[in-house]
């Protein structure tokens, strides 16, 4: 969460991330138009939101494996910090001049957190089914 908070500063603003995203996009397609590059950069940045919340909920879910036996309780407890942190992080961004706070970003973060729980559930149920077939 500290890394996510750091990423909400000016250092990871669109202006700064374009310094490495745009050259990579140009490398893949030198003839890509500027509007297309801007849309691709936006999609990459929003995918980063989803990815960081998938990782957050996955790490929280895993950290709770020894303390909470019930899968659904563990999933709920892992999801709550992500659901609280997303709007707090957007609020933090509202104080950074080069960043914008957006309720859409909170929804994107929430979808990443939910996707993280879905991924954890698939892995969990595959592993428990494998363990049951061994016994």
């Amino acid at each position: 969460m500290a890394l996510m908070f750091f990423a909400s500063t000016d250092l990871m603003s669109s202006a700064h991330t374009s310094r490495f995203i745009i050259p990579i996009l140009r490398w893949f397609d030198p003839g890509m138009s500027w509007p297309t590059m801007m849309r691709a950069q936006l999609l990459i940045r929003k995918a980063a939101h989803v990815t960081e919340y998938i990782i957050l909920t996955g790490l929280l879910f895993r950290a709770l494996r020894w303390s909470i036996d019930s899968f659904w309780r563990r999933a709920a407890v892992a999801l709550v910090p992500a659901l609280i942190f997303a709007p707090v992080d957007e609020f933090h961004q509202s104080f950074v001049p080069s960043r914008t706070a957006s309720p859409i970003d909170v929804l994107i973060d929430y979808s990443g957190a939910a996707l993280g729980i879905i991924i954890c559930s698939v892995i969990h149920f595959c592993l428990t089914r494998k363990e049951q077939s061994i016994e």
Side-chain angles (χ1 to χ4, degrees):
M1 290 172 93
L3 183 59
M4 291 165 70
F5 193 78
F6 171 75
S8 293
T9 65
D10 178 59
L11 293 174
M12 295 302 282
S13 67
S14 180
H16 287 97
T17 58
S18 67
R19 292 179 186 167
F20 58 88
I21 293 174
I22 299 299
I24 291 170
L25 292 172
R26 284 189 197 270
W27 182 79
F28 278 114
D29 185 2
M32 187 182 294
S33 70
W34 186 253
T36 302
M37 276 193 268
M38 291 296 96
R39 283 192 299 272
Q41 179 186 3
L42 178 68
L43 288 173
I44 290 167
R45 290 176 53 79
K46 297 311 172 188
H49 275 264
V50 172
T51 303
E52 67 187 5
Y53 277 84
I54 289 172
I55 293 169
L56 175 62
T57 54
L59 290 173
L60 291 169
F61 184 85
R62 182 162 166 73
L64 296 166
R65 73 185 181 278
W66 301 116
S67 58
I68 301 175
D69 289 336
S70 165
F71 170 82
W72 295 111
R73 187 174 297 141
R74 185 171 12 144
V77 171
L79 194 58
V80 167
L83 297 179
I84 293 170
F85 187 73
V88 170
D89 189 45
E90 287 301 312
F91 180 69
H92 166 250
Q93 286 184 28
S94 71
F95 294 102
V96 179
S98 61
R99 303 298 300 259
T100 56
S102 166
I104 300 297
D105 282 351
V106 173
L107 294 176
I108 292 170
D109 297 342
Y110 283 176
S111 67
L115 189 56
I117 294 299
I118 291 168
I119 292 169
C120 287
S121 68
V122 169
I123 292 169
H124 173 79
F125 289 119
C126 287
L127 291 176
T128 55
R129 190 170 67 189
K130 183 180 177 181
E131 288 174 3
Q132 290 171 352
S133 67
I134 292 172
E135 293 174 0

